[in-house]
Amino acid sequence: MIRIAIQAKGRLNEQSIELLSEAGIFVEANRRTLLAKANNFPVEILYLRDDDIPQAVAMGVADIGIVGRNEVEEKEFPVKMIHSLGFGACRLSLAIPKGEKYESVQWFAGKRIATSYPRILERYFRQQHIVAEIHTIAGSVEIAPSVGMADAIFDIVSSGATLIKNGLVEVEKVMESEAVVIAGKSLSTEKEAIITQLLFRFDAIARSRGMKYVLMNLPCEAVERAAALLPGVKSPTILPLQQKGWCSMHVAINESELWNKIELLKSIGAQDILVLSLEKMIP
Ligand code: PRT
Ligand code: ZN
């Protein structure tokens, strides 16, 4: 049995639950209290504030956790990041009031900067040889300059709309973040085995995200050229059709390149193309 800490409420909660359920780990909605046992996998889910997840994992209260890399880097608890999950993407950036003349990071020397991520900022300034006043505040960092509490901010940005709304301009991107899986330093062999099994499932889910399964008919003589147009596909499946000289080809294609590839395939004679959604790709 392993215990996984996930965010109880907030931006990463839904996607964490969705990932676990895609990996076959279900907890009924009405049982999502502080601690709930999954129905069909040796897992318990612990619902916490994201700020508390690195510590819970470091202390062994949970064996692994799903949390933003920003929280892990800020809290500096002894945990290792063992897997990136590809959701919750954002960055930690320095932003200053619009209209300020900005040439380099030296702008921040001697300034007051409001943030909820003082340690990450401290490390960055040390690296850049900047001495500034860092003011730690828990929330609504973006309003600090307009109320005179700070000259600039260091905060999470994703679309950038919040900065624009508050008359701020992003000037330095300090760190990229996304949701990651963290683990404590030492785990029993039995727990390690369950975690390996779980990460294998997470990998298969990531691999199949955005993939489509494409079936088409084409002259058998065009099969080799078609395969050459689809780099990354290990080996397309080819089946003979009843009509002589015609084959059916099946491949998985990433949605982002789907239309390009389909146009190329059509140009070498592919027809009757079916595009199906792909549930899981298991290596
Ligand atoms: O209650 P709890 O402590 O658990 O949650 P929280 O309020 O501390 O965190 P929450 O739910 O807001 O965010 C959880 C995690 O999501 C963060 O630690 C990041 O890893 C990740 N994440 C991804 C974000 C964003 N994107 C994001 N945009 N966290 C916060 N924001 C904020 C940002 O600060 C800005 O104020 O959302 C606002 C909108 O962003 P723009 O740039 O799209 O306007
Ligand atoms: Zn939080």
Side-chain angles (χ1 to χ4, degrees), residues 178-216:
E178 66 180 297
V180 292
V181 181
I182 54 172
K185 291 281 177 199
S186 62
L187 289 168
S188 68
T189 327
E190 182 213 350
K191 286 186 176 182
E192 290 276 4
I194 300 173
I195 292 167
T196 305
Q197 199 184 354
L198 195 63
L199 294 186
F200 173 83
R201 296 186 186 187
F202 287 174
D203 251 339
I205 293 161
R207 214 181 289 262
S208 41
R209 198 165 285 143
M211 296 301 283
K212 296 285 171 193
Y213 193 66
V214 182
L215 297 87
M216 72 204 84

Side-chain angles (χ1 to χ4, degrees), residues 55-252:
Q55 186 176 14
V57 171
M59 288 171 59
V61 173
D63 300 302
I64 61 173
I66 297 178
V67 68
R69 193 158 84 79
N70 50 306
E71 286 299 327
V72 184
E73 302 271 358
E74 178 62 26
K75 298 294 190 297
E76 295 181 315
F77 281 106
V79 295
K80 36 185 190 180
M81 292 184 249
I82 57 171
H83 198 81
S84 299
L85 291 169
F87 60 85
C90 57
R91 52 196 189 271
L92 275 168
S93 292
L94 280 158
I96 65 171
K98 203 170 99 189
E100 287 278 338
K101 191 162 171 290
Y102 186 85
E103 274 162 4
S104 78
V105 72
Q106 282 303 325
W107 185 94
F108 291 96
K111 297 280 202 307
R112 297 167 306 157
I113 298 106
T115 187
S116 308
Y117 296 91
R119 289 187 179 161
I120 296 173
L121 183 59
E122 231 172 77
R123 290 203 292 272
Y124 176 73
F125 277 161
R126 208 176 309 133
Q127 227 176 44
Q128 301 287 331
H129 309 290
I130 305 257
V131 180
E133 264 182 56
I134 299 175
H135 292 258
T136 306
I137 55 177
S140 306
V141 170
E142 65 279 0
I143 61 163
S146 62
V147 298
M149 269 173 72
D151 303 307
I153 66 161
F154 176 62
D155 199 10
I156 294 181
V157 182
S158 71
S159 68
T162 304
L163 294 183
I164 295 173
K165 215 162 49 193
N166 289 280
L168 298 165
V169 183
E170 184 177 6
V171 290
E172 301 288 342
K173 295 183 176 72
V174 173
M175 190 190 119
E176 300 277 347
S177 182
E178 66 180 297
V180 292
V181 181
I182 54 172
K185 291 281 177 199
S186 62
L187 289 168
S188 68
T189 327
E190 182 213 350
K191 286 186 176 182
E192 290 276 4
I194 300 173
I195 292 167
T196 305
Q197 199 184 354
L198 195 63
L199 294 186
F200 173 83
R201 296 186 186 187
F202 287 174
D203 251 339
I205 293 161
R207 214 181 289 262
S208 41
R209 198 165 285 143
M211 296 301 283
K212 296 285 171 193
Y213 193 66
V214 182
L215 297 87
M216 72 204 84
N217 295 337
L218 77 175
C220 296
E221 61 182 33
V223 162
E224 256 179 56
R225 263 186 302 154
L229 291 175
L230 303 165
V233 175
K234 217 190 278 165
S235 176
T237 306
I238 315 289
L239 302 169
L241 291 185
Q242 202 166 27
Q243 190 180 345
K244 211 165 171 283
W246 279 79
C247 285
S248 161
M249 184 164 99
H250 302 192
V251 286

